[in-house]
Amino acid sequence: MLVRLLYVSRAIDKDCTKSMESILETSRAHNLNHGITGVLCYGGGIFLQAIEGGRDTVNKLYNHIVLDKRHTDVALLHYEEISERRFGGWTMGTVNLAKLNTSIVLKYSERPEFDPYQVSGKVSLALLEELMATASIIGRA
């Protein structure tokens, strides 16, 4: 059974570049071998990540993420059973939240800076889907 999980967290290191690179390196190696796909958004000290795969595998990965010392304030935004993957082309694609087009952000947010803590999980997922449709997600692997 496939599931999709969406969570948000805050980077311990406010310049989350090193944490993001570390997370990407780890996740791309792990995900390929475990049937996990998804996208990692980062910026302003925040991570927003969508993960897709088998239910047991995704649940174990999320439990690992909650305990990961590279970030804090982990919050589950959305969890659902799915019939197909939306982010199947990426072992872990990336998006820099700080570089998003303001007009796209304002479709989903009250302010021009997207804050996943202030919107619903469905809104965050809708933003990710638009980013995918507009080819804003990089790192296809």
Side-chain angles (χ1 to χ4, degrees):
M1 170 178 301
L2 291 173
V3 298
R4 179 178 304 112
L5 182 149
L6 185 65
Y7 78 89
V8 64
S9 65
R10 296 188 195 285
I12 294 296
D13 178 8
K14 293 304 175 199
D15 174 21
C16 59
T17 304
K18 287 183 184 176
S19 294
M20 186 271 309
E21 290 171 358
S22 175
I23 289 169
L24 280 174
E25 183 179 325
T26 303
S27 65
R28 286 181 173 149
H30 174 268
N31 294 354
L32 183 61
N33 295 324
H34 292 89
I36 299 286
T37 58
V39 61
L40 174 65
C41 302
Y42 62 94
I46 292 178
F47 294 117
L48 171 66
Q49 188 170 26
I51 303 167
E52 299 171 326
R55 181 174 45 202
D56 291 341
T57 305
V58 168
N59 291 345
K60 286 176 187 173
L61 179 57
Y62 180 70
N63 288 328
H64 176 76
I65 289 166
V66 169
L67 300 174
D68 190 323
K69 300 297 183 197
R70 294 174 287 195
H71 49 138
T72 187
D73 299 333
V74 179
L76 181 64
L77 299 178
H78 186 78
Y79 186 93
E80 66 179 326
E81 294 176 354
I82 58 175
S83 58
E84 63 183 32
R85 298 172 192 249
R86 289 191 181 142
F87 308 106
W90 297 273
T91 53
M92 193 51 58
T94 60
V95 174
N96 185 336
L97 292 172
K99 293 185 178 183
L100 292 181
N101 183 311
T102 303
S103 63
I104 291 175
V105 174
L106 286 173
K107 285 176 65 174
Y108 302 99
S109 176
E110 294 178 21
R111 303 182 56 192
E113 302 83 27
F114 187 73
D115 183 353
Y117 285 102
Q118 301 300 316
V119 298
S120 73
K122 287 187 178 188
V123 167
S124 293
L125 187 57
L127 173 63
L128 291 179
E129 289 173 346
E130 177 149 346
L131 296 174
M132 183 177 61
T134 59
S136 298
I137 299 173
I138 61 171
R140 189 174 291 269

